[in-house]
Structure formats: C-alpha cells, structure tokens
Amino acid sequence: RGVNNTYLILDWVNMNTFFQKAVPIWAKGRADEMNCELAFRAIIAGQDASLHLAASSIYRVWVNGKFVCAGPARAAHGFYRVDEIDLTPQLCAGQNTVVIEVTAFNVNSYDTLDQPGFLAAEILQNHAVTAATGDGSFGVYDLHQRIQRVQRYSFQRAFAEAYWLRACKQAFYLGSDGGAERLESETQAEKRYLRRETPMPQFEPLQVQRIVQTGSVSFDVPCDALRKDRAYTQIGPMLKGYPADTLEEHLSDEAQTFAWKPSCHAAEDTAQITLENSYATCRFPYNATGFLCMTVECAQACTVYLLFDEILTDGDVDFLRLTNCNCFKYDLDAGTHRIMTFAPYTMMYLKIAAKGACRVSEVRMLQYQHPAPEFQIRLPEQKQLREIADAAVRTYRQNALDLFMDCPSRERAGWLCDSFFTARTEHALTGQCTVEKAFLENFLLAERFAHLPDGMLPMCYPADHYDGNFIPNWAMWFVLELEEYIKRSGDCAFAERAKSRVYGLIQYFATFENEYGLLEKLEKWVFVEWSRANDPDVVQDVNFPTNMLYARMLQIAGRLYGDSALLEKSQKLQETIRQRSFNGLFFTDNERRTAHGLENPGNITEVCQYYAFFMGTADKRTYPELWQTLVQKFGPHRAADCCPDVAPANAFIGDYLRLELLYLDGQTEKLLQDLKEYFTPMAERTGTLWEHDQPSASCCHGFASYVLYWLAKIYGTEKTQYAGA
C-alpha cells in the first residue's frame, strides 16, 4: 500500500507496547453521548508511582483532591497519544485516591475529534501494575455535576461549561462516596497508541493582578435583540451539538439579560471578593491561556457566572466578541466549592458575577502552555523590543502545546500556513523540531481525510470537516514547510513518508490547470489573506498570488524528490505569471473568465506584491522600481494617498511577508523599525501578539510569535532559562 502506509503499520506495532494490562473502557452504553463527563477512581498505596493513560476527548488527573495534570496531546483519527505522569510527589503514606476525569465531546470540531469516549490507564509501582482500567481497580462514576445539554462553545470548539456543584461531592476526590453514582463499565474497541512527543505543560499558576471594576447586577432584564452565533443556531449533521430547543441552559441568551451598574472602578486587594447580586471584573497581568480556578464560599445556595475576554470593549467584557460563548455558569449549594474549568480558555479580563451572596478567593489560572523556552535572545537594552519579545514568547508558548495552533481561544486548531512560521520560531527558541514533527506527522498518520476530495489535505488538523470545507492554498504550504522541516531536523525519512501526500496534492491541483498551466476556479475557500485580496471578485477565477504559491510548491516538490519535470513546470508557470500579472508597475491579483477568454480586471493588492517576491516570481534585480515602492512607501506608515489603487495588506500574511523580505535583504534597521510600529501597541495592550493589526479577532495568534525568529537571527541566542514571560 505504499511507503507511507508501511511506516504507519510499523509505528502502530511499536506503540502498542505502552500498556501492560490496561484496556480502553467507558460507562456501558454511553461512549457516544455528547458532552459526557465521567470520573475513574482507584485507591493505591503510598509508594513511588507513575500513571500511563490515553483518553478521548480530554482528561484531568487528581491525587488526594489536588490537581496534577490535564491532557492529552492530540493525534490523527484513530490514534491516541499516551501520557506518562509521575504521581510520586503527590502521594502520602497509606492510602491515596487517584481520580481521572474524562469528558467525551462526541462532536466535530477543530480542537478535538469526534471519536467515542474512553480511558485506558494503568498505575505502575515498583515496575508492577497496581491498578488498570479493565481489571476492576478503576471504578467508573458519574458525579452528575456537568450539565450536558449546553450550547457549543464556538463553531470551532465543542461545548461551553455549566455545572451544578454540591459541596458533598468533594469527598469523592478523597476516597469517600460523595454521593457519586457508580456505573457499570464495558471494554471499548481496541485503540492504536502513540508516544507523546511534546513536553508536558508545567501548569504554572498566574494570579489575578487587580480588580478593575465592581458594581451591582440585575438579572432577567429583557433584551431587545439577542446575539446568536452559528454554533448556537445551526446545529445539525454538519455541526453536531444539542439543538437550542433541547438545551438545559441557554448561557449566551441568559447572560445578555444582565444589567450592569458600575460602582467602583479599581481595587488592588484580590485576596477575597465579596459578592451579593454584584460583580467584580479582574485583570490578569497579561492575556493568558489555561484552567480558570477559584474558591467560592456561600452560606446559602447561589449562582456564579464567569464572563471573560482578552480585551475590554468600551470598558467592559464582551463575552461574545469572538463569536464564542465566554460565559460559564455554576449553580452552587451552601458550602465551600472549588471551581476549575475543565478545558483551557484564554483571557486577560474576568468578570465574576453572583446571583445571591458568596465570597470568592484564590482566583488564578493554571497556565496550559509549552514549557519555558531553552534559548534567550540577546536583546539590546531597548524597552520596546523587550516588550515585543516577551509578548511573542507568551504567544508562542500558548500556541505550541502539543501542535502548532492558530489561537488558544476560539479555535485551538492546528492550521497549515500558520505552522510554517511558528515552526521557525520553535527552532529558534528550542533548537528542536519536536512540536513541528508531531504537527506534521498527524497529516501523515490519517489513512484518509473524510469529506475532502482525494489528494487534498485539511486546512487544519486534527479536526473534523463535515461541511467539506478546505483551503487549497494551505495544503500547498504543507509542502513548503515539509522541505524546511527536513532541513532543520535532518529527518530525510520523513520526506519519503510524505511522498504520497505531496504527489496526491499535485495530482489534485493538475485537474484545475487551464490552457496556460494556471490554476483556475479552485474549489472551496481560496485564501490569500484577510484583506481586499480575499474578496470574491479578486480571489477568482485565476488568482495570481495562489498561482505564485503553486509554482513555489512545484519547485520544492521537484527538489525534494529529484523530479525534473516538476522543476521545469514550476519555472514555466512563474514566467507565465510574470507575463500575465505584471502591468508595468505592479503585479495584478487575478484574471476572470469571460466569453472572450481570460480578462484582467486590474485588481491590485499590496499583499500580491509580497507574494511575488517571497515565492520567487520577482526579485529586486528584475523589478527594482516595484521593490523600492514596497520598501520605501508601503508598510505600517503608508500614507493614505500612496498608491490609492493598491489595497493595503493585513497582518497575516502580508505584513509578515513584508518583514521577511526586509530581513532577507539585510535591511535590519528598517525591519526593526517596522517591528516596533506593528507590534508595540499589541504588546502594551495585551502582552501577546494578535491575528489582525487591530484587536478585532484573536489577540494571541501563534504565527505572530515569528517576531522571535527575526530577533534571534539579528541578535543571536544563548541557552538559558527565559525569564521574560
């Protein structure tokens, strides 16, 4: 079945040695339930112990009531990565209670895969298995805390969170009954396991910095026009979830009926927050990602709401700004409660509101991110550069956990193209390609990609694309990154593993070549960047930036596999683009098919020029006047009347291609000045770097950490613990 599948079989055989006794189990008859949370508990003696586990969809581990870790690392469909966790530091003499909580989402998303719930786990002590799933030593329980029928968190992620917490349930984590319901378990289908290659996060605590506002809140105030996202209204076969009319809680609707009345605008003391039909908005030191934690004490039953976002909008938290539901609900009975979100979320501002009376303390986040990098950039004593570098490190760490993500908030998705840039950052900061290998390998492990045409790669993965959507451009970036990964890592065998994927892509694109060899009328989401360049009248029918990328992809594939025909084809295509796209001053963006053949409507974007130089269609020797225009007139301070017929670029990927071209040309001073202009406002406002040049979307985007690559190349690095973020 080919080289690629041969490697897959070998990997599976080798990786199935991870468990001595454990088999995958779940509660009987519930493996396909949406948003199903179960707890698995074992009692062990106080000795050195390690825990090996794999699970679907996400898990967290507790020992004697204390949080230990969360996971897992993600893998391709049908594969599961095994985590190895040292439990010894949490154990005490005598009996110890180990609880593994697992939530199976069973919906399609860009974050977790739509696969049945299971847990495979075993505890080893003195090289012997003392507890394992399937041998009866792990009991399976439903604590009946999570409210299952809630809306999705976003189009790209699974469910929001709502809980019904009873103080008595906390005894369960210490070995008592706690009112939990023990369930009958059953063995699940055999799984294919892989080693977790990426490092475990360290779950560093981040304390709330200060309270920026307090006030009263009125509930159930009629709202004229409720904002409803597609993840709320378009549930069906293409987007799984619970339809709105079947929900137990309508979180986003309910939170829009709250009326806020500010009374105080700041407070430094965050140790204890007293609330009674009131709220407090807290600020973290920077925009961070992790598990939100707090302790809540209430003499009588009350309800606590957590609303959050990365920025303040008009001085307040807009929990729907990113078209996701950043509002969670906790119904509490009298007593003391430990609240911790099950999944990670991103925020700089947290609004805690209480219906009733309670005291809130220990508000913090356990950060879910890549460990601190091994290399530090030798920056000069420049405040702006240091702030930008610190923001870039935070951005990288939050988006390089187990694969390269676009953002840790709305999506947590492993996007191609973004990864091309983040991978360079990883190597600059760590000297390794560990996350990159895990990221790329997922695209090779899958035997096929359901709902996509033969040969096409998903735009982000691991993910389920039931709607059949894909970005053909992003699949081309896979080949560009593949070549760089092989050069960085020296892993030449990986090229052979990827060969069938690369040639599958080439065969797919060949069916869209017109009489000139140009790609025409590509299917689905043809994406250049978030600007005028992606308007429908610009991106079709023959899009020149896309064809420039295609020519570069063919060239790289030809180099990787010694294919002279591909090299010749690439060269010919580049010449065709030059002849048909360049108008004497600029490269135009597209041609449209008419009754008279292809006609050029004259659309021109700034990013198209950057594509031309980055992809090798142009260089400063053959297009000197255009090069000078790009360097001297375009950029962050482009005048409003400068080349009015050329639509401006946006951050991704236009601004980054511009900066890369400056770096490659040795224009260090100009590059550093542009860096400061682009990124200082971001670093100052959120301490992270953004998706766009304005805070209109994600304010922590993985590719933006590419700033570190330039700084490392300019100033060099030294191996030391990075202390800036």
Side-chain angles (χ1 to χ4, degrees), residues 234-305:
Q234 297 180 16
I235 297 300
M238 296 298 101
L239 186 65
K240 292 175 63 176
Y242 291 108
D245 60 359
T246 69
L247 298 179
E248 299 175 72
E249 297 284 350
H250 296 76
L251 299 173
S252 59
D253 286 356
E254 183 179 1
Q256 290 179 80
T257 67
F258 298 169
W260 314 97
K261 185 179 180 181
S263 59
C264 174
H265 285 277
E268 294 297 331
D269 184 12
T270 61
Q272 189 171 91
I273 304 169
T274 301
L275 300 174
E276 184 171 3
N277 296 322
S278 60
Y279 72 93
T281 301
C282 306
R283 182 186 190 274
F284 285 99
Y286 49 82
N287 191 28
T289 298
F291 303 94
L292 188 61
C293 304
M294 65 189 67
T295 299
V296 181
E297 301 173 76
C298 46
Q300 297 180 335
C302 75
T303 302
V304 170
Y305 301 88

Side-chain angles (χ1 to χ4, degrees), residues 153 157 281-289 307-313 316-324 326 345-351 365 394-395 398-399 406-412 682-692 694-702:
Y153 175 71
R157 291 181 64 177
T281 301
C282 306
R283 182 186 190 274
F284 285 99
Y286 49 82
N287 191 28
T289 298
L307 299 84
F308 54 92
D309 195 15
E310 299 173 283
I311 60 171
L312 293 180
T313 303
D316 199 4
V317 172
D318 181 359
F319 73 97
L320 296 175
R321 180 184 67 89
L322 279 179
T323 65
N324 48 5
N326 283 343
Y345 303 97
T346 304
M347 69 194 73
M348 187 170 179
Y349 295 93
L350 167 66
K351 180 186 281 190
M365 177 184 290
R394 295 186 191 106
T395 301
Q398 293 178 48
N399 287 288
D406 61 333
C407 64
S409 54
R410 179 187 65 235
E411 300 190 12
R412 299 188 65 80
M682 304 180 191
E684 290 180 343
R685 183 166 180 181
T686 64
T688 49
L689 304 181
W690 307 344
E691 179 178 7
H692 298 326
Q694 298 294 321
S696 55
S698 160
C699 293
C700 182
H701 233 67

Side-chain angles (χ1 to χ4, degrees), residues 57 76 162 184 191 216 226 261 307 349 362 374 396-397 437 484-485 503-504 566 581 583 602 608 682 720:
S57 302
E184 181 182 355
K191 310 298 179 184
S216 62
L226 293 173
K261 185 179 180 181
L307 299 84
Y349 295 93
E362 300 178 305
E374 299 175 34
Y396 170 77
R397 294 182 66 191
K437 181 182 179 182
E484 292 205 357
Y485 165 73
Y503 275 88
L566 291 181
S581 174
N583 67 5
C608 180
M682 304 180 191
T720 180

Side-chain angles (χ1 to χ4, degrees), residues 483-540:
E483 181 186 49
E484 292 205 357
Y485 165 73
I486 293 166
K487 288 180 179 178
R488 280 190 288 265
S489 66
D491 186 1
C492 296
F494 204 88
E496 288 304 310
R497 292 183 65 182
K499 188 173 183 178
S500 62
R501 292 288 192 230
V502 173
Y503 275 88
L505 273 177
I506 293 170
Q507 292 170 11
Y508 171 83
F509 283 119
T511 64
F512 292 89
E513 293 175 0
N514 64 16
E515 64 269 34
Y516 304 104
L518 294 161
L519 298 178
E520 181 175 348
K521 294 185 182 294
L522 284 176
E523 296 176 322
K524 298 301 179 178
W525 188 11
V526 182
F527 189 85
V528 176
E529 76 153 16
W530 291 117
S531 70
R532 166 81 172 130
N534 235 64
D535 288 353
D537 64 317
V538 178
V539 83
Q540 289 287 5

